[in-house]
Amino acid sequence: MRKILIIGSGKSTSYLLKYLLDKSISENLFITVGDLNIDQAKTLTRNHENAKTIKLDVFDDTSRSQAIKDADIIISMLPAHLHIEVAKDCITYKKHMVTASYVSPEMQALHDDAVANNLILMNEIGVDPGIDHMSAIQVLDRIRDKGGKVILFESFTGGLVAPESDNNLWNYKFTWNPRNVVLAGQGGAAKFLQEGAYKYIPYHRLFRRTEFLEIDNYGRFEVYANRDSLKYQSVYGLDNVKTLYRGTMRRVGFSRAWNIFVTLGMTDDSYTIDDSENMSYRDFTNSFLPYSHSDSVELKLRHQLKIDQDDIVWDKLVELDIFNPNKPVGLKKATPAQILQKILMDSWTLSNNDKDMIVMYHKFGYELNGKKHQIDANMVVIGETQTYTAMAKTVGLPVAMATMAILNNKITTPGVQIPITKEVYQPILKDLKTFGITFQEKEIPYLGYNPLNN
């Protein structure tokens, strides 16, 4: 049997495992899931005859290398910084590897070794990065194949709560790693191109410089800029493009309210708070406000940030219980970001009956035969259950499909790579359609970035 090793069995593995197990008989597969905690994996494999679970400590060189040596292809669903040791073992034992994570400099450094050993180290094959690459490049290639010149490209993705489960004032719940949400946008200014001009947004202004867009049947959204929209400029063949902007989607109003936390300093992860374990949520909020012998925490916050009493932002803050004197932080030597994450998880954790939603939107502007054109494309995926979420579907299925394409010699080009070639994206996008992961495209008049100039 052809042996697949999956390292890591977190929230995004449900669809990945189901896809492979459903094909295990017809494709002659045996799937091994390795993790320190195998309870989740055991639940998902359901005692399937073509699967087993093993305890696997990725820091144990002996057990890790033995598990990799025994497999034909490796899927790493570990946190991104842990892929590299797995990848090195894959080079050593001549095994292909698939991950959904961004290509790190350490991973890229293995490219020549991978090529020399005729190995494929496929990365960025989840949803974002992943489906965003494949769906965008497919349209860009189509435009260029008919002689068009791309002048504008925008791409936005959001992991959100489904409309039927959207029942808080923020229109948001955690569908992925909460820590990444709290720290979003930090680490440098956002950089992008608009109408031929380089634009920069420092972190303290990021959530006040948003754009708006509409998606049919799902209403209005806002987007804030990713840290580096130009990262894929050359990779996508967009060196001469005038507008290149990538970002993260939220419901309208989220960013203005989130900016309160940024302004106060609650998203800071660079220092720890003394005696944090004995703080209440109210104490934590008060620690960022000036001393007053008479004014309440609420009054001080409203005054400092100039929030009117009838402002919806105020209601959003109250909803999160940040003024509660009876809720303990309970975290020792915690950073502000860690404490904020704990507070938010009280309100933004999906309940058993909640469903999540992945939304993706691309805008393409191009010139053809002396005329300007625009294509808008969007994808919406709604989760089914807390196990089979939209996030797990859009991350796990492309990983599984790439794995099968490599095993079946449909993807053969060796090296460290991302899914931007027809060899990779055509079969995977076609397969994703059978699971309802499709893009709705429409041609509209080209508006550029300033409709008044047209």
Side-chain angles (χ1 to χ4, degrees), residues 179 265-279 284 287-288 328-343:
R179 179 170 171 79
M266 289 182 174
T267 62
D268 198 318
D269 200 45
S270 64
Y271 67 93
T272 58
I273 290 183
D274 294 325
D275 201 36
S276 57
E277 68 268 34
N278 295 315
M279 272 185 165
F284 172 65
S287 67
F288 295 96
V329 167
L331 300 174
K332 194 171 185 179
K333 285 287 182 183
T335 67
Q338 288 170 333
I339 297 172
L340 178 60
Q341 178 183 327
K342 182 178 190 296
I343 291 171

Side-chain angles (χ1 to χ4, degrees), residues 4-199:
I4 300 173
L5 172 65
I6 302 173
I7 305 178
S9 59
K11 290 183 177 180
S12 57
T13 56
S14 57
Y15 274 100
L16 164 64
L17 263 171
K18 186 178 187 307
Y19 181 92
L20 294 175
L21 290 173
D22 287 347
K23 289 185 174 292
S24 63
I25 296 174
S26 62
E27 293 281 356
N28 195 32
L29 306 174
F30 191 86
I31 297 107
T32 300
V33 185
D35 205 330
L36 267 180
N37 183 353
I38 58 175
D39 293 341
Q40 165 84 347
K42 282 183 174 179
T43 301
L44 294 174
T45 53
R46 304 184 305 277
N47 296 317
H48 196 287
E49 60 181 344
N50 290 336
K52 71 174 181 179
T53 57
I54 60 170
K55 268 198 179 297
L56 180 59
D57 181 355
V58 73
F59 296 108
D60 182 341
D61 294 346
T62 303
S63 63
R64 184 191 67 238
S65 59
Q66 187 59 54
I68 289 171
K69 194 189 301 185
D70 290 342
D72 295 308
I73 189 167
I74 315 302
I75 298 172
S76 178
M77 300 301 284
L78 294 165
H81 66 284
L82 298 179
H83 292 317
I84 190 63
E85 295 306 320
V86 175
K88 288 176 180 176
D89 282 350
C90 287
I91 297 289
T92 300
Y93 300 111
K94 296 180 170 48
K95 310 293 181 181
H96 300 301
M97 177 180 172
V98 181
T99 88
S101 300
Y102 286 105
V103 176
S104 65
E106 295 82 6
M107 183 72 75
Q108 189 61 49
L110 298 177
H111 176 73
D112 290 345
D113 286 339
V115 172
N117 287 283
N118 200 33
L119 296 175
I120 297 166
L121 302 186
M122 179 67 69
N123 300 266
E124 302 190 19
I125 187 79
V127 58
D128 178 4
I131 293 176
D132 59 340
H133 293 327
M134 295 185 288
S135 55
I137 290 292
Q138 182 182 52
V139 177
L140 292 170
D141 281 352
R142 202 167 71 221
I143 291 169
R144 288 186 283 240
D145 287 348
K146 63 183 181 183
K149 176 189 174 187
V150 180
I151 53 176
L152 176 149
F153 175 64
E154 297 178 5
S155 179
F156 311 112
T157 306
L160 300 160
V161 63
E164 59 263 47
S165 303
D166 186 348
N167 56 11
N168 67 44
L169 293 175
W170 292 74
N171 309 115
Y172 185 80
K173 294 181 184 179
F174 289 126
T175 60
W176 198 233
N177 187 341
R179 179 170 171 79
N180 291 350
V181 175
V182 174
L183 300 181
Q186 298 185 37
K191 179 171 70 171
F192 54 101
L193 264 174
Q194 283 181 333
E195 295 295 312
Y198 287 99
K199 297 291 185 180

Side-chain angles (χ1 to χ4, degrees), residues 146-299:
K146 63 183 181 183
K149 176 189 174 187
V150 180
I151 53 176
L152 176 149
F153 175 64
E154 297 178 5
S155 179
F156 311 112
T157 306
L160 300 160
V161 63
E164 59 263 47
S165 303
D166 186 348
N167 56 11
N168 67 44
L169 293 175
W170 292 74
N171 309 115
Y172 185 80
K173 294 181 184 179
F174 289 126
T175 60
W176 198 233
N177 187 341
R179 179 170 171 79
N180 291 350
V181 175
V182 174
L183 300 181
Q186 298 185 37
K191 179 171 70 171
F192 54 101
L193 264 174
Q194 283 181 333
E195 295 295 312
Y198 287 99
K199 297 291 185 180
Y200 301 88
I201 308 177
Y203 175 64
H204 74 278
R205 293 293 299 153
L206 183 64
F207 297 97
R208 296 309 296 130
R209 289 261 301 272
T210 53
E211 308 286 345
F212 299 98
L213 59 89
E214 297 269 349
I215 291 185
D216 292 344
N217 303 317
Y218 291 92
R220 204 167 188 227
F221 297 83
E222 66 183 19
V223 299
Y224 62 85
N226 284 357
R227 201 160 62 222
D228 185 4
S229 289
L230 308 185
K231 179 178 179 181
Y232 297 103
Q233 185 170 10
S234 294
V235 174
Y236 280 22
L238 297 173
D239 289 328
N240 298 313
V241 77
K242 289 185 176 181
T243 295
L244 178 52
Y245 184 37
R246 289 164 55 90
T248 300
M249 295 173 67
R250 294 287 183 258
R251 286 293 188 180
V252 175
F254 177 93
S255 296
R256 185 165 77 93
W258 184 262
N259 195 58
I260 298 292
F261 299 139
V262 176
T263 302
L264 286 172
M266 289 182 174
T267 62
D268 198 318
D269 200 45
S270 64
Y271 67 93
T272 58
I273 290 183
D274 294 325
D275 201 36
S276 57
E277 68 268 34
N278 295 315
M279 272 185 165
S280 67
Y281 287 8
R282 187 179 186 85
D283 294 332
F284 172 65
T285 302
N286 192 33
S287 67
F288 295 96
L289 299 169
Y291 173 79
S292 171
H293 69 277
S294 58
D295 291 346
S296 68
V297 177
E298 290 88 344
L299 193 60

